[in-house]
Amino acid sequence: MLTIENLTYTASDPDGEKTILRDLSLTLEDKKFYIITGPNGGGKTTLAKLIMGLEKPTSGRILWNGEDITDLSVTERAKLGVSYGFQQPPRFKGMTVYDLLKIASGRDMTRIECCDYLTRVGLCARDYVDRDMDVSLSGGEAKRIEIATILARQSALMIFDEPEAGIDLWSFSRLTDTFGAIREGRQATLVVISHQERLIALADEILLVDGGAVAARGTPEEIFPRILGGTTKICERLEGESC
């Protein structure tokens, strides 16, 4: 279980300090699929980076399965089962897909196992297992390989920041299938930052983040009409008040 308590993050810019997250608290249950959505600049990516340890909060705590991980490094969080998928996955010149999956898994993975993970993300294993993880890969290919590495890691908490960004429609369809399979198999707690309706519809719960706070949360049936109606600016509404 992921618990966030009174999380605040303030960053410096040329005009002074800007508070990105404001006293945010929430709890995410195990093996559920959560979508974080909301307007640009609302704090979604910052929240994800704080959970992974890519940024440090100004105040507040982050607990994973009851353990305070607020001051732990990215590596220490990864060892506890927390993984992060970037908007733009990194490339590694001179490293094959097979090598990357073995490193991600933390064990001496066989080629058959590697091929199985590639197949699960919609890639023809024969065509990709020995390819270099370099700029020759398209955005969609790199995204799906990154998902395969996280699956190989057998992470208990998987965080993906706008996985649909910069990929073609066919690749997005395959990504949707992959996330759907993870959800159905209840393999992990899945947290995806997205604006895409097809991904939002798959979620167990949507968190609408706006103005550095959780403005609303609920099922897709409860929250999606607010998004379609352009009612994301609800931070000042009292809890339970209709829009």
Side-chain angles (χ1 to χ4, degrees):
M1 179 178 291
L2 178 69
T3 304
I4 295 172
E5 298 178 347
N6 308 113
L7 204 64
T8 295
Y9 178 76
T10 300
S12 298
D13 62 23
D15 297 323
E17 293 190 337
K18 181 179 180 181
T19 299
I20 310 297
L21 295 178
R22 304 171 185 275
D23 198 30
L24 186 149
S25 296
L26 61 85
T27 297
L28 303 183
E29 297 179 13
D30 292 338
K31 298 183 179 180
K32 283 192 172 184
F33 183 5
Y34 294 91
I35 287 284
I36 299 178
T37 194
N40 292 334
K44 303 182 299 298
T45 293
T46 298
L47 175 58
K49 288 182 176 180
L50 288 169
I51 294 171
M52 189 66 241
L54 297 167
E55 300 285 358
K56 296 296 183 183
T58 304
S59 62
R61 297 199 307 164
I62 303 170
L63 294 89
W64 173 237
N65 294 328
E67 179 178 350
D68 190 339
I69 64 170
T70 311
D71 296 321
L72 296 187
S73 68
V74 172
T75 300
E76 291 169 323
R77 297 183 201 213
K79 289 179 179 179
L80 292 175
V82 182
S83 293
Y84 186 92
F86 292 86
Q87 286 188 28
Q88 299 295 330
R91 312 300 177 100
F92 304 94
K93 186 177 180 180
M95 179 180 293
T96 67
V97 172
Y98 179 36
D99 292 334
L100 181 62
L101 283 169
K102 285 198 297 183
I103 292 172
S105 70
R107 54 192 172 84
D108 190 17
M109 180 186 291
T110 66
R111 288 178 65 86
I112 293 176
E113 289 177 296
C114 176
C115 290
D116 176 63
Y117 283 114
L118 293 174
T119 300
R120 288 168 64 182
V121 296
L123 294 174
C124 176
R126 180 183 60 191
D127 294 339
Y128 287 91
V129 64
D130 292 318
R131 281 191 64 175
D132 284 340
M133 277 296 304
D134 57 19
V135 294
S136 68
L137 294 169
S138 71
E141 290 168 333
K143 285 280 180 70
R144 280 182 277 163
I145 291 169
E146 183 181 50
I147 294 173
T149 65
I150 293 175
L151 292 176
R153 183 73 184 175
Q154 298 181 353
S155 304
L157 174 60
M158 303 180 185
I159 306 166
F160 294 94
D161 189 0
E162 296 191 23
E164 71 274 12
I167 67 172
D168 57 80
L169 290 175
W170 189 88
S171 295
F172 174 65
S173 178
R174 298 301 305 178
L175 284 174
T176 302
D177 292 342
T178 300
F179 287 134
I182 296 172
R183 177 187 183 275
E184 292 301 318
R186 298 299 177 184
Q187 302 169 31
T189 303
L190 190 58
V191 178
V192 179
I193 298 172
S194 180
H195 303 285
Q196 287 291 332
E197 181 179 353
R198 288 179 60 186
L199 286 177
I200 289 173
L202 291 174
D204 294 305
E205 190 170 358
I206 298 172
L207 285 77
L208 188 60
V209 175
D210 186 10
V214 178
R217 65 182 297 178
T219 65
E221 293 78 13
E222 293 169 335
I223 302 301
F224 198 60
R226 296 190 180 192
I227 300 172
L228 290 178
T231 56
T232 57
K233 293 291 184 180
I234 58 173
C235 293
E236 295 179 0
R237 298 285 188 178
L238 295 176
E239 184 177 357
E241 180 180 345
S242 60
C243 293

